[in-house]
Amino acid sequence: MPILNVVAVSGSLHAPSKTTALVHEIVRVLERTLGGAVDVRTRFVELSVSGPAFAGALRRDQLSLEAEDELRAIEAADLLIVASPVYRASFTGLFKHLFDFVGQYALIDKPVLLAATGGSDRHALIIEHQFRPLFSFFQALTLPIGVYAKDADFTDYVVTNPALDERIEQAIGRGLPIIRTIVAPEDVSAYVGTW
């Protein structure tokens, strides 16, 4: 069975967090969509937990072993899922600081599913205006559709709006052709099955 190594990054500085809940929901829907045809191995990077390990460093060689391990996981992932709450019209500063340490060429052609959370729909363009330019710099393959969620999509930090799950399914569905080539580049048809 092919393996898909996923690293899911939540740029939220708080716990509990709607952004972290969204990242976990995206992973859940991804696993369900792949339907057991792929062994999905997920590592979560939550800045509410590991953020302090990055906050004081100015250079990568100043990072702790824990922070370096998280960076290496990001660089080695088959698929990245990245999300941040909207903070002053952009992603959080610590989210950007984390990616400032990622190797400039480490994400070339890596598929990235973009996601964000905000108080209302007014902030939905963060995905197009902030996330896509950042990951274009890295020459990553941002999936065609991002996922934006607003406060009303959650109840007690759990996704409860069926329309949000539909948007997640659509984002994953449109990204499957790219994900398939990463999982089984030699013979994708042998692993397609139900996914």
Side-chain angles (χ1 to χ4, degrees):
M1 177 182 295
I3 296 169
L4 180 67
N5 288 306
V6 177
V7 174
V9 180
S10 170
S12 176
L13 308 182
H14 303 284
S17 159
K18 294 180 184 80
T19 304
T20 302
L22 176 61
V23 165
H24 281 268
E25 185 70 1
I26 291 170
V27 169
R28 187 187 70 76
V29 174
L30 174 66
E31 290 172 346
R32 185 184 71 210
T33 301
L34 297 180
V38 175
D39 180 7
V40 179
R41 298 180 183 176
T42 305
R43 176 168 179 168
F44 293 93
V45 174
E46 298 178 15
L47 291 183
S48 62
V49 176
S50 61
F54 293 95
L58 300 178
R59 299 187 319 269
R60 188 158 173 169
D61 63 5
Q62 296 174 328
L63 293 172
S64 66
L65 293 176
E66 171 198 5
E68 178 63 29
D69 184 54
E70 296 212 323
L71 286 174
R72 288 182 182 175
I74 288 168
E75 293 171 343
D78 297 320
L79 169 67
L80 285 178
I81 298 168
V82 299
S84 175
V86 177
Y87 183 73
R88 300 195 179 186
S90 188
F91 29 67
T92 61
L94 199 51
F95 177 90
K96 176 61 165 63
H97 191 56
L98 165 70
F99 280 95
D100 284 343
F101 290 119
V102 171
Q104 181 175 349
Y105 304 108
L107 305 184
I108 291 176
D109 294 336
K110 190 178 301 294
V112 183
L113 193 156
L114 309 173
T117 59
S120 71
D121 287 331
R122 291 177 302 180
H123 304 291
L125 286 176
I126 182 178
I127 291 174
E128 305 305 324
H129 293 174
Q130 300 293 322
F131 279 96
R132 284 199 200 279
L134 173 62
F135 289 96
S136 291
F137 164 81
F138 285 112
Q139 301 175 58
L141 297 174
T142 55
L143 299 188
I145 299 175
V147 178
Y148 178 80
K150 60 185 179 296
D151 286 351
D153 293 325
F154 302 86
T155 304
D156 296 328
Y157 301 97
V158 174
V159 173
T160 52
N161 183 354
L164 176 55
D165 270 335
E166 290 174 10
R167 292 197 303 273
I168 294 170
E169 289 169 3
Q170 183 183 38
I172 291 170
R174 289 286 303 279
L176 278 180
I178 295 170
I179 295 169
R180 284 185 182 124
T181 62
I182 298 300
V183 172
E186 296 83 19
D187 183 12
V188 175
S189 62
Y191 300 105
V192 170
T194 59
W195 68 291

